[in-house]
Every structure is written in structure tokens, then in C-alpha cells.
Amino acid sequence: MPLLQLENIADYLRAHTQVLGDRILESHPPLHSIDDPPSPMVGKLLRKPYPAQTLAIMGLVKRWNQDKAGAVIAECGTGKTLISLGAVQTHAENRRFTAIAMVPPQLVEKWCRETILTLPRVRVFIIDGLRTEIITQLVQDRRS
């Protein structure tokens, strides 16, 4: 096999795409494949996720069922907020639930808006930092 002249990481990745992809799938098989039917709960979302987002929702739900923790890591604009909201709703399976989203200040209004547009019968509360009077009083009361 001739030795390839690889100038940079992009060349390396192009030359070894198949092998790297196979190794990743072998080490980390998907929790939800494209052939697995999604939960009917996904259909109850007010906004319809794209097929790739539905796969991510179902994968996250299955991860929570296994390990009680999971993460959504993706590029900007891929729908991480929708995936997270859809996963919370789907995981609840028609039961009432409480969820908390800790987001940077510049995303609070976006999260509120998307939550209301995505989840049926939802209430949103904003806790603006831990320095509010009520939170400060609760902390002081606990220390007493």
C-alpha cells in the first residue's frame, strides 16, 4: 500500500473517513437507529422536529433511561433547544414534569419563546440569578 502524502488534518480525515466512521460506530453504537420507530410523544410536540432531530430526541431519551444523564452537543442552528425540549416531553410520557434549563442570559428569552411554541400546556418561570431577595432570604434562613 503506497504511503499517502497527507498535508493536514483535513487530508487525513478524507483519506480515512470510512475506517474512522466504522470505529466510532463500533465503539459507540447508536441508541436509536433510523429504522426504530420514534415514540408517539414526539408527535405531540407543537413544532415538528426534522428526522435527524427526532433521532437525537429518541437517543437522548434512551440515554436518560440508561444513565440519568445526557448531553446535546451540536453546531449552532441544529436545533439543540428543540431536541432538549422534545426529549423532556417524550421522556415524561404524558406525566407532569418539572424541568430546569440553565442558559446564558442572552438566550433566556429565546428559550422561553421556544418552550411555549414547542411544549403543550407549559408554564415558564424565569429565575434571574441567585441574588434575588427571595433566594437570598431562603439561603439565610437555611443557615440560621
Side-chain angles (χ1 to χ4, degrees):
M1 175 182 224
L3 201 56
L4 298 173
Q5 287 294 334
L6 303 176
E7 302 267 334
N8 54 44
I9 191 73
D11 289 344
Y12 177 84
L13 291 173
R14 264 191 295 280
H16 301 289
T17 298
Q18 190 62 49
V19 172
L20 293 170
D22 291 343
R23 285 187 183 176
I24 290 169
L25 288 175
E26 183 180 309
S27 299
H28 307 285
L31 295 174
H32 188 85
S33 78
I34 198 162
D35 297 326
D36 296 336
S39 166
M41 294 304 302
V42 175
K44 294 186 178 194
L45 297 173
L46 300 177
R47 292 171 49 212
K48 183 172 171 41
Y50 290 114
Q53 292 168 326
T54 300
L55 284 173
I57 288 168
M58 292 308 303
L60 187 55
V61 168
K62 289 180 179 181
R63 171 59 61 201
W64 285 339
N65 289 336
Q66 287 181 353
D67 297 326
K68 302 296 182 204
V72 178
I73 302 167
E75 295 289 328
C76 291
T78 56
K80 295 181 294 292
T81 302
L82 176 61
I83 291 166
S84 301
L85 292 168
V88 170
Q89 174 79 19
T90 301
H91 187 260
E93 295 181 335
N94 268 341
R95 296 183 305 261
R96 292 180 70 157
F97 64 90
T98 301
I100 186 167
M102 296 173 38
V103 300
Q106 69 271 20
L107 297 179
V108 171
E109 288 181 23
K110 173 190 178 288
W111 259 86
C112 290
R113 183 178 59 252
E114 289 198 33
T115 300
I116 291 166
L117 293 173
T118 304
L119 301 181
R121 301 179 319 273
V122 69
R123 294 187 310 169
V124 176
F125 299 92
I126 299 172
I127 301 171
D128 188 11
L130 295 178
R131 299 288 180 214
T132 62
E133 275 185 43
I134 295 170
I135 301 287
T136 303
Q137 186 62 46
L138 288 172
V139 170
Q140 288 173 354
D141 290 348
R142 275 187 129 180
R143 290 181 182 161
S144 301

